Amino acid sequence: MTTLNELLYPKIEALKTDGNYRYYFTINKSAKHFPNFYYEKNGVSQKVINFCSNDYLGMSVDEEVISKLSYTSHQTGTSSGGTRNISGTTIHHQSLENTIAQWHKTEAALVFSSAYLANITTLYTLAKHIDNLVFISDERNHASLIEGMKSSGNQKFIFKHNDVAHLEIILQQLPLDTPKLIVFESVYSMNGSIAPVKEIVDLAKKYNAYTYIDEVHSIGLYGSTGAGICQLEKLEAKVDIVNGTLAKAVGVIGGYIAASNTLIDFIRSYGSGFIFTTSLPPAVCAAAEKSIQIIQKHQSLTNTMKGLVNYCKRLLTENNIPFIENLSHIIPIKIGNAKICKAIADKLFFENNIYVQPINSPTVPIGEECLRVIITAKHTRAQIIQLVTSLKAIKFEKITNSL
Ligand SMILES: Cc1ncc(COP(=O)(O)O)c(C=O)c1O
């Protein structure tokens, strides 16, 4: 009989042959020196600048957030010790959910272990309980959204990325009384595009569709108190379900949905991925809530980040380094080949002490491999100059020829 390992080994080898095998850099994260971190090279500690962290505002190293986590851990212990139903709902879970609901101006919110789980659970559970629910999904949606829709087995239509004309063609073909859910993101993390949210919600209204928006990459960064693109565009009341993360700009861990009381009560009552798992530690909830409160009050953090992002984009342009233009904070430098992408990332890392993770399949389609540069509120202009100078010095053609 073929062993399990014999079945799996060729799959791994195929990834290596295509240049899509994932090598992790093991880094020694430093709260004090973020976005710098350290790693061991031949027994010697090297300092490297991180240009790919999603800790956009540096909240994971914020003193007040760290103190809240540490203080509440001492008060409540490290784990909740139970599912939400079995002793795992604490005052900190409740308080966090209230804060999130107020932030998004929704009636209620529900916290999960991650936004990934929140997406899968919510979409799957809706599909299983609403007869003939049809999904209409942006072609660039995140894996967790795709997985939630796919695993339900419900009918799904895919519209071209951010293309409202195509979305309307699909909507026109479906009976008005068929329940349909348009699933999309506000900021797409790989190309940095921003969805035409207003046009999408207007179409939803016109064709009797519901809307599900993943705001994972806009939470903390857009809108008057950082609640995301819906807040920026004053569309909160027009979207049915918002998904967000507590792990990127908020700097902690966990994810959530925010929606009406009934919808939240429904997912709380039927969502397997919510019900049958230990709830987040109370201290994590307290720290996430503290971080949100800081973000709400201090928009200066976001402004600092955006100023540095614009500075980086300007330097790249002045130095003829092509990147995908967009209106968001994400700076993708398109390479288009997995092996070249990795070779450039290796050169940046080992020769220039700069960490930019090469993004390859399945995160992006084959041929769209890129270096996804993230500038946080904690970077300095000097660090950005170092990045651009290093990128400029790399002879892309030379790397291509040597592969
Ligand atoms: C668009 C999008 N949605 C959801 C998630 C999942 O978020 P989390 O890290 O909280 O699971 C990610 C994570 O990268 C994402 O990019």
Side-chain angles (χ1 to χ4, degrees):
M1 186 183 138
T2 315
T3 66
L4 199 51
N5 286 347
E6 282 165 350
L7 285 175
L8 302 178
Y9 186 72
K11 309 266 176 204
I12 298 170
E13 284 307 294
L15 289 178
K16 287 185 183 163
T17 309
D18 296 345
N20 286 325
Y21 186 71
R22 296 186 166 199
Y23 297 91
Y24 296 154
F25 287 126
T26 305
I27 69 174
N28 187 1
K29 191 172 181 244
S30 162
K32 218 172 185 174
H33 300 129
F34 179 82
N36 289 331
F37 67 84
Y38 298 88
Y39 89 110
E40 288 286 320
K41 187 179 172 190
N42 304 328
V44 182
S45 180
Q46 300 277 330
K47 187 167 82 173
V48 180
I49 314 166
N50 189 347
F51 278 103
C52 53
S53 170
N54 285 326
D55 186 3
Y56 296 124
L57 300 176
M59 295 309 287
S60 84
V61 299
D62 181 274
E63 273 305 323
E64 276 189 81
V65 176
I66 295 171
S67 299
K68 191 76 182 177
L69 184 74
S70 156
Y71 174 81
T72 319
S73 285
H74 282 104
Q75 298 295 308
T76 63
T78 51
S79 163
S80 76
T83 62
R84 285 292 292 267
N85 193 39
I86 308 176
S87 81
T89 298
T90 68
I91 52 169
H92 301 288
H93 294 81
Q94 203 103 69
S95 184
L96 173 61
E97 285 173 347
N98 290 343
T99 296
I100 291 170
Q102 279 164 19
W103 204 21
H104 289 288
K105 294 207 181 85
T106 55
E107 288 175 350
L110 200 62
V111 169
F112 292 72
S113 319
S114 69
Y116 189 101
L117 190 60
N119 276 337
I120 288 195
T121 304
T122 308
L123 294 172
Y124 176 85
T125 311
L126 289 171
K128 283 291 158 205
H129 293 271
I130 299 175
D131 285 344
N132 304 320
L133 179 70
V134 171
F135 290 116
I136 309 171
S137 169
D138 186 287
E139 71 178 338
R140 287 301 175 92
N141 272 340
H142 186 256
S144 54
L145 298 164
I146 295 169
E147 197 60 38
M149 292 182 271
K150 205 164 114 187
S151 59
S152 73
N154 281 38
Q155 197 175 17
K156 182 174 83 167
F157 294 88
I158 296 174
F159 62 98
K160 290 188 199 128
H161 181 51
N162 283 344
D163 186 336
V164 282
H166 189 217
L167 172 61
E168 182 156 24
I169 290 170
I170 293 171
L171 286 165
Q172 279 165 345
Q173 289 163 5
L174 294 165
L176 263 190
D177 58 356
T178 294
K180 31 197 168 320
L181 183 63
I182 304 172
V183 180
F184 63 111
E185 298 177 27
S186 52
V187 173
Y188 286 83
S189 67
M190 292 305 144
N191 63 9
S193 66
I194 299 184
V197 184
K198 175 155 179 5
E199 284 93 329
I200 292 176
V201 295
D202 285 349
L203 281 179
K205 187 150 189 252
K206 185 170 168 192
Y207 292 96
N208 261 355
Y210 311 111
T211 43
Y212 185 103
I213 188 165
D214 174 322
E215 289 246 40
V216 159
H217 287 277
S218 47
I219 293 302
L221 308 180
Y222 299 86
S224 56
T225 64
I229 296 290
C230 288
Q231 183 185 52
L232 179 72
E233 298 186 4
K234 301 195 172 32
L235 295 167
E236 289 119 319
K238 305 221 165 154
V239 172
D240 292 295
I241 309 165
V242 180
N243 166 275
T245 184
L246 302 169
K248 300 190 193 295
V250 176
V252 188
I253 190 75
Y256 61 85
I257 53 166
S260 67
N261 275 328
T262 305
L263 191 132
I264 295 300
D265 202 14
F266 165 78
I267 298 295
R268 188 186 71 79
S269 309
Y270 287 94
S272 180
F274 176 79
I275 298 170
F276 298 107
T277 185
T278 303
S279 63
L280 284 179
V284 163
C285 295
E289 187 179 4
K290 170 55 79 184
S291 176
I292 292 171
Q293 286 162 347
I294 295 170
I295 291 169
Q296 286 173 328
K297 269 195 227 126
H298 303 287
Q299 280 300 293
S300 56
L301 269 174
T302 316
N303 293 337
T304 302
M305 187 201 80
K306 287 180 185 159
L308 291 169
V309 168
N310 290 338
Y311 178 67
C312 183
K313 286 183 176 178
R314 181 157 62 79
L315 283 194
L316 288 170
T317 306
E318 284 170 7
N319 287 280
N320 296 320
I321 299 168
F323 58 95
I324 300 174
E325 297 278 354
N326 59 52
L327 296 175
S328 78
H329 59 284
I330 290 164
I331 309 176
I333 298 179
K334 204 167 166 182
I335 307 293
N337 175 294
K339 285 185 181 168
I340 298 173
C341 206
K342 167 130 179 51
I344 295 171
D346 281 351
K347 214 169 162 54
L348 283 172
F349 191 86
F350 294 110
E351 293 176 21
N352 301 274
N353 293 328
I354 282 171
Y355 180 32
V356 186
Q357 183 64 32
I359 306 290
N360 51 20
S361 169
T363 309
V364 291
I366 288 173
E368 293 191 19
E369 291 81 1
C370 66
L371 296 171
R372 178 176 169 273
V373 172
I374 296 297
I375 306 293
T376 72
K378 299 285 177 185
H379 282 92
T380 61
R381 284 188 169 221
Q383 288 171 329
I384 293 170
I385 291 171
Q386 192 178 328
L387 167 75
V388 176
T389 313
S390 306
L391 275 168
K392 199 175 175 193
I394 288 176
K395 302 278 178 283
F396 284 40
E397 307 80 32
K398 229 174 166 185
I399 292 178
T400 314
N401 294 336
S402 68
L403 286 170

